[in-house]
Amino acid sequence: MQGGYTGKYLDIDLQNGTVKVLPLDKEMTVKYVGGGGFNAKILWDQLPAEVDPLAPENILIISTGPMTGTLAPTGNSWYVGFKSPATGIYGEGRGGGYWGPELKFAGYDYLILRGRSPKPVYLYIENDKVELLPADDLWGLDFFKTVDQLEEKHKGARVLGIGPAGENLVRFACIMSDRYRAGGRGGAGAVMGSKQLKAIAVCGTSDVRVADKEGFIEALRDANKTLMAHPATATLLPDFGTASLVNGMSAFGAFPTRNFRSGVFEGAEKISGETMAETILVKTRGCYSCNIKCTRYTMVKEGNYAGVESEGPEYETVNAFGSRCGVDNLEAIAMANMNANRYGLDTISTGTLISFAMELYEEGILSKEECNGLELTFGNHEAMNQLLEDIAMRKGLGDILAEGVKRAAARIGRQADKYAMHVKGLELTATEPRAAQDSGLGHSVASRGGDHLRPWSPAYTLFNFGSEELGLGGTPDPIVPDDKANVVVQMQRVSTFTDMNGTCKFIVLCNTISPSQLARLHTTITGIPFTSEDVMQSAARVWNLQRALNNLKFGVTSSDDTLPQRLLNEPAPEGPAKGKVVELDKMKREYYQLEGWDDNGVPRRERLMELGLDFVAAELGK
Amino acid sequence: MAKKLVAVKEKCVGCRICELACSLYLEDVFNPRRARIKVESGYNALDLPHICFQCDDAPCASSCPENAIVREDETGIWKVSKEKCIGCGDCLDVCPYDAIFISPSDNIAIKCELCEGLPCKEYCPNEALLLEG
């Protein structure tokens, strides 16, 4: 290994407490790069297809990329891979903060966690010392207290772990790190909880090497120059955080409101990043190695929510606990955000579940009694915050909602599924697809279910941030389906690569850093020559491997690549997309063709061979 | 007056880019434990860079049993002699600013010696480091 990678990983069996230190395979780095690439390959090779996601046989991988722990912009990411208890398919989450770099400094590229510990434990890693220690005193504690105790006990350590939601096997519980960072989606926290693993504290003193220092400095200066010249990374994110999107998205009619009844929220201004900066923002911060610094440290100083302090709320969270629940009270949203972080709940899914219940209550499907006695109308932020706690602790209605919106709707019956906003069991995110058709396609085909980040194509279709290298120019029309498949494919590649290389997606989210800039950073750090074509091709390889996992191991077909009926059949009631539904079929056909997938949504043999996935091709038709 | 780097703690965002840049430029690797600057973070979003202020009356130097920390006449910069330092850590105990460290690679004391170019300052994304004097 020349640079970037540490060259080692840990394979830990929680059942019998054994720890193996193993060498990283060179082929893994060349073909799969890291992060989500490692996760997909390991799950393909080692995960039994039929396994119950919450059974000891599920595998939990926590990986990094070659940029994690380097000076590459936003080189801070850790990635979890698992079979998702929310969806039953490929599960992945990405977190920032400080934990990922520390794992590299301790000398490891990734961890594989197997089995179930007979008693609650936590893992302590300090360079060569790797220990499973009793966690009886930690079990039941919220994540903030867990961090406090472990940081006190292990000076200099960084902490990743779960809150009570993970322990209670809430199917959308996160794995958290560094108090406020989440590997948020798909229920990795429940998998960790099912293994009786509360936390992983890590510290280390070893080097992460760079293959070509002078070349890297040149590539870095060039990348930083681009970041500091682009409005998204130079102004919007540092000044107003991710919530800088709120006003724009609502103006585009793309800001999901009241469980996707609409895409326009009349209270957007009150919960925007601009309002946050004037009210509860205390300080701007940055994750490890981040020069974009979008983190908001916030505190509510007076009123009913006085004392609430956390980082965020982020854009997705503002939408989930704000407009989707009809709430225009930023302090109430900050409270829900803080408690989601403490309990270890995915804010996106939690907000979806609460707004789903609110709509069922307003439609008369759920009675007040069934709603734990709460007056669960849209806009009732006290009820929202109470229900959040009930979900984490699985109380009453909370116990049903803790199963995720797909299962909860089935359990409630009474046509509740009409209001369940998800794809493949993963709750939808803060982009209204009727106002950004590409986003509808992206959500419907993404490898982990209803996913907004692979890619966040509205950066181009709504905000018009194009890319010369990707051939995305001009002024796209977001409310027509034409040419959207290509947009999704192109941006998805770059997005997927940042789920492999160890950086944050925000360096590419608005087509900021180009594929050739990513290639130069990658080549100079690792010493493995990558061109921009290699960036796109390796991302395509990983994307197709994730897809094949879903098709061949978990039974995903074309009929699963769909959207909730509301988005396909109910015209948007207001805003620029008024009267529009998502025209999914046309986009999906074009997308399958561009990806080289057959009518059933399975990658074709030739495509798999071309991507070097011959071992996958060999499984086709079996 | 000797030149020195000072940190504006209100501007520090806690990203550790200074640590990474320092270790890359001076040690050719990424390793915050081999950096000559260290950011401490704590409650209420405290982010505080620790860096040597090149004190006139330097307790690190006076506590050193090997006289390994010596002030350069023309610049006023305190420098650690790699040959003399035995890594006892006495200097860490007395530095009022926690601005001297033991490197894990060779177990000797390291501190900011105001290198040429000051990569920590160059790469800081929020102008939290200033050169004075």
Side-chain angles (χ1 to χ4, degrees):
Chain A
M1 303 294 158
Q2 285 186 275
Y5 304 96
T6 68
K8 296 196 302 282
Y9 71 95
L10 292 173
D11 193 324
I12 296 162
D13 189 331
L14 293 157
Q15 193 75 41
N16 47 31
T18 54
V19 176
K20 282 186 249 174
V21 185
L22 296 166
L24 176 66
D25 179 10
K26 178 91 195 288
E27 193 203 354
M28 283 287 267
T29 63
V30 175
K31 282 182 76 175
Y32 305 101
V33 178
F38 285 176
N39 295 351
K41 182 64 166 56
I42 294 164
L43 291 176
W44 175 274
D45 289 342
Q46 302 186 23
L47 185 79
E50 302 298 327
V51 68
D52 173 349
L54 297 177
E57 291 74 24
N58 198 1
I59 295 169
L60 181 64
I61 306 151
I62 309 181
S63 57
T64 63
M67 305 285 174
T68 309
T70 74
L71 193 54
T74 71
N76 57 44
S77 297
W78 51 270
Y79 308 89
V80 280
F82 51 102
K83 183 175 180 183
S84 162
T87 62
I89 66 172
Y90 179 73
E92 188 180 300
R94 174 261 165 202
Y98 307 89
W99 188 90
E102 202 62 37
L103 183 68
K104 295 278 291 279
F105 299 133
Y108 308 102
D109 292 308
Y110 63 90
L111 317 172
I112 303 182
L113 299 154
R114 306 172 193 278
R116 171 185 290 153
S117 169
K119 293 173 91 175
V121 288
Y122 74 95
L123 182 62
Y124 178 62
I125 302 171
E126 186 188 336
N127 298 320
D128 295 339
K129 187 163 90 180
V130 182
E131 301 173 325
L132 285 165
L133 299 168
D136 304 286
D137 296 348
L138 299 172
W139 204 255
L141 291 187
D142 76 36
F143 185 64
F144 294 0
K145 290 192 183 115
T146 305
V147 173
D148 289 348
Q149 291 213 4
L150 288 175
E151 282 183 350
E152 180 63 34
K153 188 165 171 191
H154 303 290
K155 295 285 179 208
R158 300 292 187 180
V159 180
L160 168 148
I162 55 171
E167 297 174 17
N168 295 335
L169 309 181
V170 174
R171 285 181 189 269
F172 44 90
C174 311
I175 293 179
M176 306 285 302
S177 81
D178 309 292
R179 292 174 80 90
Y180 311 110
R181 298 286 130 196
R185 308 232 61 209
V191 175
M192 194 161 164
S194 76
K195 297 190 174 305
Q196 299 225 72
L197 178 63
K198 178 68 176 176
I200 305 174
V202 59
C203 66
T205 54
S206 32
D207 302 332
V208 173
R209 290 180 301 275
V210 54
D212 168 13
K213 176 180 160 183
E214 299 312 321
F216 170 70
I217 288 171
E218 207 178 299
L220 175 66
R221 287 204 166 118
D222 178 57
N224 282 344
K225 201 172 142 194
T226 302
L227 287 168
M228 292 311 124
H230 194 284
T233 41
T235 312
L236 290 173
L237 286 167
D239 288 356
F240 302 115
T242 50
S244 59
L245 292 169
V246 169
N247 285 324
M249 289 296 277
S250 187
F252 289 127
F255 195 55
T257 297
R258 296 182 180 85
N259 199 32
F260 286 81
R261 280 180 179 171
S262 172
V264 180
F265 186 49
E266 69 284 358
E269 179 65 44
K270 291 167 77 176
I271 60 173
S272 65
E274 289 83 344
T275 299
M276 197 185 304
E278 286 167 10
T279 55
I280 60 173
L281 177 68
V282 175
K283 190 183 165 189
T284 294
R285 299 180 97 180
C287 289
Y288 199 86
S289 195
C290 176
N291 53 6
I292 303 173
K293 47 192 191 300
C294 71
T295 300
R296 319 278 88 182
Y297 179 73
T298 56
M299 191 182 288
V300 180
K301 292 174 200 81
E302 51 194 18
N304 292 344
Y305 293 103
V308 165
E309 58 99 14
S310 195
E311 284 182 357
E314 301 291 339
Y315 169 73
E316 285 289 336
T317 307
V318 163
N319 180 258
F321 295 128
S323 59
R324 282 162 83 175
C325 291
V327 169
D328 65 1
N329 180 328
L330 187 57
E331 296 174 351
I333 296 167
M335 170 85 161
N337 175 59
M338 175 183 77
N339 280 336
N341 287 341
R342 295 177 88 103
Y343 286 114
L345 284 168
D346 172 22
T347 59
I348 300 175
S349 289
T350 306
T352 307
L353 264 304
I354 295 173
S355 63
F356 163 73
M358 284 174 161
E359 188 161 25
L360 295 186
Y361 180 73
E362 291 208 344
E363 292 291 332
I365 294 172
L366 287 178
S367 68
K368 190 171 175 181
E369 199 187 355
E370 286 175 295
C371 293
N372 297 1
L374 297 167
E375 190 69 56
L376 209 54
T377 48
F378 282 118
N380 184 346
H381 50 84
E382 285 97 357
M384 172 179 81
N385 272 300
Q386 181 58 53
L387 190 52
L388 181 149
E389 291 190 44
D390 292 347
I391 290 171
M393 301 314 288
R394 283 186 171 271
K395 281 188 196 148
L397 177 64
D399 186 40
I400 298 171
L401 300 180
E403 290 293 291
V405 80
K406 186 181 172 187
R407 283 185 175 80
R411 180 128 162 235
I412 291 165
R414 293 170 270 178
Q415 294 191 313
D417 60 335
K418 196 176 142 191
Y419 307 99
M421 304 307 290
H422 71 92
V423 172
K424 302 181 179 77
L426 190 67
E427 290 75 15
L428 291 192
T429 69
T431 302
E432 159 60 86
R434 288 171 291 197
Q437 296 280 323
D438 45 290
S439 169
L441 174 64
H443 276 81
S444 75
V445 297
S447 51
R448 62 179 182 180
D451 187 343
H452 59 304
L453 288 173
R454 296 139 202 234
W456 195 65
S457 51
Y460 169 58
T461 57
L462 293 176
F463 291 89
N464 219 353
F465 292 127
S467 162
E468 205 175 310
E469 276 189 36
L470 298 181
L472 303 175
T475 313
D477 183 350
I479 57 173
V480 300
D482 309 273
D483 307 322
K484 295 303 184 293
N486 178 53
V487 173
V488 169
V489 170
Q490 298 297 325
M491 290 181 72
Q492 197 181 68
R493 295 288 183 262
V494 184
S495 205
T496 302
F497 193 76
T498 59
D499 281 326
M500 296 151 59
N501 74 349
T503 66
C504 170
K505 219 171 257 93
F506 289 0
I507 64 169
V508 300
L509 192 77
C510 293
N511 286 319
T512 314
I513 299 287
S514 69
S516 58
Q517 287 173 305
L518 288 173
R520 284 175 65 199
L521 289 167
H522 187 80
T523 303
T524 52
I525 283 196
T526 63
I528 301 169
F530 256 56
T531 62
S532 56
E533 290 77 22
D534 294 326
V535 166
M536 300 299 270
Q537 182 81 346
S538 61
R541 180 180 304 122
V542 167
W543 186 254
N544 276 273
L545 180 58
Q546 292 172 358
R547 178 69 183 186
L549 260 168
N550 281 340
N551 296 137
L552 304 180
K553 286 210 185 217
F554 308 135
V556 167
T557 67
S558 172
S559 64
D560 298 302
D561 294 342
T562 188
L563 292 170
Q565 286 307 305
R566 168 167 274 173
L567 304 175
L568 297 173
N569 298 325
E570 285 178 31
E574 59 189 320
K578 187 175 176 177
K580 290 280 170 189
V581 294
V582 182
E583 296 179 58
L584 185 62
D585 286 346
K586 175 183 157 63
M587 292 189 291
K588 208 167 100 176
R589 265 196 312 277
E590 285 175 18
Y591 178 83
Y592 280 11
Q593 207 163 11
L594 288 171
E595 285 287 13
W597 296 356
D598 65 19
D599 292 344
N600 220 3
V602 181
R604 292 179 195 279
R605 184 176 307 274
E606 318 76 271
R607 181 63 175 141
L608 291 169
M609 300 299 282
E610 182 185 296
L611 291 169
L613 296 172
D614 38 331
F615 58 94
V616 177
E619 296 295 314
L620 286 175
K622 274 195 181 168
Chain B
M1 191 176 110
K3 281 190 166 47
K4 62 179 176 183
L5 265 178
V6 294
V8 187
K9 79 171 193 298
E10 292 74 19
K11 296 208 81 178
C12 177
V13 297
C15 66
R16 272 78 179 170
I17 282 175
C18 52
E19 298 177 7
L20 287 168
C22 178
S23 74
L24 174 67
Y25 276 70
L26 299 186
E27 304 284 347
D28 299 327
V29 294
F30 302 109
N31 187 343
R33 273 75 176 183
R34 293 175 71 181
R36 279 112 170 115
I37 181 168
K38 175 101 193 127
V39 177
E40 174 196 354
S41 291
Y43 288 106
N44 299 322
L46 166 83
D47 296 303
L48 176 63
H50 292 273
I51 190 157
C52 176
F53 296 141
Q54 317 297 341
C55 310
D56 285 332
D57 180 13
C60 57
S62 47
S63 75
C64 179
E66 304 296 318
N67 293 319
I69 305 174
V70 178
R71 193 166 212 182
E72 214 173 55
D73 287 341
E74 65 271 33
T75 60
I77 297 168
W78 291 98
K79 295 193 167 177
V80 181
S81 160
K82 281 190 176 191
E83 289 70 36
K84 288 187 185 172
C85 176
I86 55 167
C88 67
D90 284 1
C91 50
L92 275 69
D93 295 336
V94 297
C95 174
Y97 306 108
D98 295 328
I100 187 162
F101 320 97
I102 297 285
S103 168
S105 62
D106 48 12
N107 209 38
I108 63 161
I110 52 172
K111 63 179 281 299
C112 175
E113 297 178 0
L114 285 175
C115 66
E116 207 178 316
L118 297 175
C120 55
K121 182 174 173 293
E122 179 195 335
Y123 287 95
C124 174
N126 212 35
E127 294 167 344
L129 295 170
L130 305 171
L131 184 64
E132 284 189 353

